[in-house]
Amino acid sequence: SREQAQLKASVVEEDTEEWQKDSSFAGLERVGGVDLSYIKGDDISACASLVVLSYPALEVLYEDCRMVAVSAPYVAGFLAFREVPFLVEAVQRLQQEEPKLKPQVLLVDGNGLLHPRGFGVACHLGVLTDLPCIGVAKNLLQVDGLVRNELHREQIRSLQREGDTFPLTGTSGRVLGMVSCGDYNNSSKPLYISAGHRVCLETAVRLVKSCCRYRIPEPIRQ
């Protein structure tokens, strides 16, 4: 908790890049996606992946996938300590091998500020790599009074008709993230988008939507 709090002090919750301020993201050319996925029934062997896509064409420019042995135990709220070291290594390899392909922003399969202590995996990775990061989760992390109850499901159903978003406002009054129900392929399953580092929530939502051909944004899907 202490280490998390120290790192959290470095999180920047607003846009820091010129391309973020442009309505069509002019100047953005490379978007990265990272994920750590596990073999079913095995919580030690995992595949750490970093993919960089061109923007706006979303064509794969770079791929790095390797099997890793995860040693840190899973503790709720501290997932980043288990996964982030492997993702940082992947970013460092890219910087050494193909520095010209370094992503200008990373989409992370996980949460950012939408986290019990406001410091999810997307914040953690952003602070350690100093890259703008966005959290994109498939399930709602139930924190700060947010629950997947009937009211939440009804909000999602009403959104599907509009392909729109609604804010995730905790009982603290803070907006922790956005629910996005895209109109891609009539997917009824929402995405939970939260700012990670060096990006504001509004920009994060716009960028994630612009990267979706299907439900999951292309950098993470790839």
Side-chain angles (χ1 to χ4, degrees):
S1 291
R2 270 203 310 276
E3 190 178 337
Q4 234 174 21
Q6 284 169 343
L7 290 167
K8 183 182 181 333
S10 301
V11 170
V12 177
E13 295 184 27
E14 60 256 0
D15 293 342
T16 59
E17 309 302 296
E18 280 305 310
W19 60 261
Q20 293 166 330
K21 302 180 178 95
D22 186 272
S23 61
S24 60
F25 297 124
L28 177 61
E29 296 172 355
R30 295 172 308 284
V31 179
V34 291
D35 189 14
L36 204 77
S37 41
Y38 297 85
I39 293 172
K40 274 207 166 63
D42 179 348
D43 58 358
I44 292 171
S45 304
C47 181
S49 305
L50 164 64
V51 178
V52 182
L53 274 60
S54 64
Y55 189 90
L58 302 178
E59 287 164 353
V60 176
L61 302 174
Y62 175 92
E63 289 176 281
D64 179 356
C65 303
R66 55 186 70 194
M67 294 304 295
V68 297
V70 180
S71 56
Y74 171 72
V75 181
F78 297 98
L79 178 70
F81 289 98
R82 188 171 153 83
E83 299 192 343
V84 160
F86 303 108
L87 303 177
V88 170
E89 282 173 13
V91 172
Q92 288 170 341
R93 277 195 301 274
L94 165 60
Q95 286 179 326
Q96 283 159 5
E97 294 164 15
E98 297 277 4
K100 292 196 291 292
L101 296 181
K102 180 181 170 182
Q104 292 158 279
V105 60
L106 284 174
L107 304 193
V108 183
D109 184 10
N111 292 293
L113 297 171
L114 178 58
H115 178 269
R117 285 167 302 283
F119 193 72
V121 64
C123 300
H124 204 128
L125 184 63
V127 168
L128 293 184
T129 60
D130 199 32
L131 286 170
C133 282
I134 297 168
V136 184
K138 297 182 279 290
N139 298 298
L140 174 65
L141 187 63
Q142 304 194 47
V143 297
D144 194 12
L146 297 171
V147 282
R148 274 177 65 190
N149 55 14
E150 190 48 43
L151 173 64
H152 182 76
R153 287 190 278 271
E154 179 49 46
Q155 282 178 300
I156 288 168
R157 282 194 290 271
S158 67
L159 279 187
Q160 282 158 28
R161 296 186 280 278
E162 301 154 30
D164 210 349
T165 56
F166 70 85
L168 289 162
T169 307
T171 46
S172 65
R174 282 201 70 185
V175 175
L176 302 174
M178 281 286 209
V179 182
S180 174
C181 292
D183 37 17
Y184 26 81
N185 287 12
N186 299 324
S187 173
S188 60
K189 294 177 176 174
L191 291 175
Y192 297 91
I193 302 167
S194 54
H197 183 52
R198 294 178 57 184
V199 62
C200 75
L201 182 58
E202 183 191 356
T203 300
V205 171
R206 278 199 304 125
L207 181 64
V208 169
K209 282 184 158 186
S210 76
C211 289
C212 285
R213 287 179 179 158
Y214 306 96
R215 177 194 172 206
I216 305 297
E218 256 339 75
I220 293 176
R221 196 179 78 87
Q222 291 287 353

mmCIF file of all heavy atoms in Angstrom, residues 1 13 18 24-25 42 49 81 116 161 171 178 185 187 212:
data_model
loop_
_atom_site.group_PDB
_atom_site.id
_atom_site.type_symbol
_atom_site.label_atom_id
_atom_site.label_comp_id
_atom_site.label_asym_id
_atom_site.label_seq_id
_atom_site.Cartn_x
_atom_site.Cartn_y
_atom_site.Cartn_z
ATOM 1 N N SER A 1 0.832 -1.211 0.000
ATOM 2 C CA SER A 1 0.000 0.000 0.000
ATOM 3 C C SER A 1 0.862 1.255 0.000
ATOM 4 O O SER A 1 0.544 2.228 -0.677
ATOM 5 C CB SER A 1 -0.907 0.028 1.236
ATOM 6 O OG SER A 1 -1.891 -0.964 1.150
ATOM 7 N N GLU A 13 -3.366 13.292 -14.257
ATOM 8 C CA GLU A 13 -4.727 12.945 -14.675
ATOM 9 C C GLU A 13 -5.240 13.817 -15.813
ATOM 10 O O GLU A 13 -6.430 13.857 -16.070
ATOM 11 C CB GLU A 13 -5.689 13.036 -13.484
ATOM 12 C CG GLU A 13 -5.402 12.017 -12.394
ATOM 13 C CD GLU A 13 -6.426 12.056 -11.257
ATOM 14 O OE1 GLU A 13 -7.576 12.458 -11.524
ATOM 15 O OE2 GLU A 13 -6.069 11.703 -10.127
ATOM 16 N N GLU A 18 0.289 17.076 -27.453
ATOM 17 C CA GLU A 18 -0.398 17.925 -28.435
ATOM 18 C C GLU A 18 -1.490 17.158 -29.167
ATOM 19 O O GLU A 18 -2.574 17.678 -29.399
ATOM 20 C CB GLU A 18 0.604 18.519 -29.435
ATOM 21 C CG GLU A 18 1.370 19.722 -28.909
ATOM 22 C CD GLU A 18 0.461 20.841 -28.404
ATOM 23 O OE1 GLU A 18 -0.467 21.237 -29.134
ATOM 24 O OE2 GLU A 18 0.663 21.298 -27.259
ATOM 25 N N SER A 24 -9.260 15.159 -34.100
ATOM 26 C CA SER A 24 -9.047 13.924 -34.873
ATOM 27 C C SER A 24 -7.720 13.250 -34.489
ATOM 28 O O SER A 24 -7.242 12.372 -35.199
ATOM 29 C CB SER A 24 -9.064 14.231 -36.370
ATOM 30 O OG SER A 24 -8.030 15.153 -36.674
ATOM 31 N N PHE A 25 -7.133 13.687 -33.380
ATOM 32 C CA PHE A 25 -5.856 13.148 -32.891
ATOM 33 C C PHE A 25 -4.733 13.289 -33.925
ATOM 34 O O PHE A 25 -3.914 12.383 -34.090
ATOM 35 C CB PHE A 25 -6.001 11.673 -32.468
ATOM 36 C CG PHE A 25 -6.944 11.457 -31.321
ATOM 37 C CD1 PHE A 25 -8.026 10.589 -31.421
ATOM 38 C CD2 PHE A 25 -6.755 12.129 -30.123
ATOM 39 C CE1 PHE A 25 -8.892 10.394 -30.352
ATOM 40 C CE2 PHE A 25 -7.626 11.930 -29.037
ATOM 41 C CZ PHE A 25 -8.692 11.063 -29.157
ATOM 42 N N ASP A 42 -3.711 -22.515 -14.716
ATOM 43 C CA ASP A 42 -2.306 -22.316 -14.342
ATOM 44 C C ASP A 42 -2.102 -20.826 -14.073
ATOM 45 O O ASP A 42 -2.171 -20.017 -14.989
ATOM 46 C CB ASP A 42 -1.395 -22.784 -15.492
ATOM 47 C CG ASP A 42 0.093 -22.589 -15.204
ATOM 48 O OD1 ASP A 42 0.435 -21.899 -14.227
ATOM 49 O OD2 ASP A 42 0.914 -23.122 -15.972
ATOM 50 N N SER A 49 2.201 -9.654 -23.613
ATOM 51 C CA SER A 49 2.133 -9.190 -25.001
ATOM 52 C C SER A 49 2.141 -7.669 -25.080
ATOM 53 O O SER A 49 1.471 -6.999 -24.300
ATOM 54 C CB SER A 49 0.850 -9.689 -25.675
ATOM 55 O OG SER A 49 0.751 -11.085 -25.578
ATOM 56 N N PHE A 81 1.421 -5.374 -9.209
ATOM 57 C CA PHE A 81 2.716 -5.862 -8.719
ATOM 58 C C PHE A 81 3.029 -7.239 -9.317
ATOM 59 O O PHE A 81 4.192 -7.631 -9.429
ATOM 60 C CB PHE A 81 2.716 -5.929 -7.184
ATOM 61 C CG PHE A 81 2.744 -4.563 -6.559
ATOM 62 C CD1 PHE A 81 1.574 -3.959 -6.114
ATOM 63 C CD2 PHE A 81 3.936 -3.865 -6.430
ATOM 64 C CE1 PHE A 81 1.594 -2.684 -5.550
ATOM 65 C CE2 PHE A 81 3.977 -2.596 -5.861
ATOM 66 C CZ PHE A 81 2.795 -2.006 -5.427
ATOM 67 N N PRO A 116 -9.540 0.513 -6.093
ATOM 68 C CA PRO A 116 -9.805 0.831 -4.682
ATOM 69 C C PRO A 116 -8.978 1.993 -4.144
ATOM 70 O O PRO A 116 -9.452 2.775 -3.317
ATOM 71 C CB PRO A 116 -9.451 -0.467 -3.947
ATOM 72 C CG PRO A 116 -9.581 -1.547 -4.957
ATOM 73 C CD PRO A 116 -9.281 -0.930 -6.286
ATOM 74 N N ARG A 161 -28.926 1.335 -27.260
ATOM 75 C CA ARG A 161 -29.677 1.907 -28.381
ATOM 76 C C ARG A 161 -28.948 3.126 -28.936
ATOM 77 O O ARG A 161 -29.157 3.521 -30.054
ATOM 78 C CB ARG A 161 -31.083 2.264 -27.928
ATOM 79 C CG ARG A 161 -31.895 1.043 -27.506
ATOM 80 C CD ARG A 161 -33.338 1.403 -27.207
ATOM 81 N NE ARG A 161 -33.505 1.977 -25.881
ATOM 82 C CZ ARG A 161 -33.611 1.272 -24.756
ATOM 83 N NH1 ARG A 161 -33.540 -0.049 -24.801
ATOM 84 N NH2 ARG A 161 -33.782 1.849 -23.603
ATOM 85 N N THR A 171 -19.577 6.721 -4.720
ATOM 86 C CA THR A 171 -20.284 7.387 -3.621
ATOM 87 C C THR A 171 -19.476 8.583 -3.107
ATOM 88 O O THR A 171 -20.028 9.483 -2.493
ATOM 89 C CB THR A 171 -20.549 6.409 -2.453
ATOM 90 O OG1 THR A 171 -19.350 5.679 -2.183
ATOM 91 C CG2 THR A 171 -21.639 5.422 -2.778
ATOM 92 N N MET A 178 -15.673 5.602 -17.310
ATOM 93 C CA MET A 178 -16.843 5.682 -18.193
ATOM 94 C C MET A 178 -17.215 4.284 -18.652
ATOM 95 O O MET A 178 -16.344 3.463 -18.937
ATOM 96 C CB MET A 178 -16.516 6.508 -19.444
ATOM 97 C CG MET A 178 -16.539 7.982 -19.221
ATOM 98 S SD MET A 178 -18.245 8.578 -19.077
ATOM 99 C CE MET A 178 -18.042 10.217 -19.679
ATOM 100 N N ASN A 185 -21.010 -4.111 -34.086
ATOM 101 C CA ASN A 185 -21.517 -5.498 -34.089
ATOM 102 C C ASN A 185 -22.610 -5.737 -33.056
ATOM 103 O O ASN A 185 -22.778 -6.851 -32.576
ATOM 104 C CB ASN A 185 -20.378 -6.496 -33.836
ATOM 105 C CG ASN A 185 -19.480 -6.603 -35.046
ATOM 106 O OD1 ASN A 185 -19.592 -5.785 -35.951
ATOM 107 N ND2 ASN A 185 -18.617 -7.581 -35.069
ATOM 108 N N SER A 187 -22.775 -5.355 -30.025
ATOM 109 C CA SER A 187 -22.318 -6.028 -28.806
ATOM 110 C C SER A 187 -23.063 -5.453 -27.611
ATOM 111 O O SER A 187 -23.142 -4.246 -27.431
ATOM 112 C CB SER A 187 -20.818 -5.836 -28.613
ATOM 113 O OG SER A 187 -20.444 -6.353 -27.359
ATOM 114 N N CYS A 212 -11.863 0.994 -31.994
ATOM 115 C CA CYS A 212 -12.713 -0.205 -31.943
ATOM 116 C C CYS A 212 -13.262 -0.573 -33.318
ATOM 117 O O CYS A 212 -14.024 0.187 -33.915
ATOM 118 C CB CYS A 212 -13.883 0.010 -30.985
ATOM 119 S SG CYS A 212 -13.417 -0.075 -29.250
#
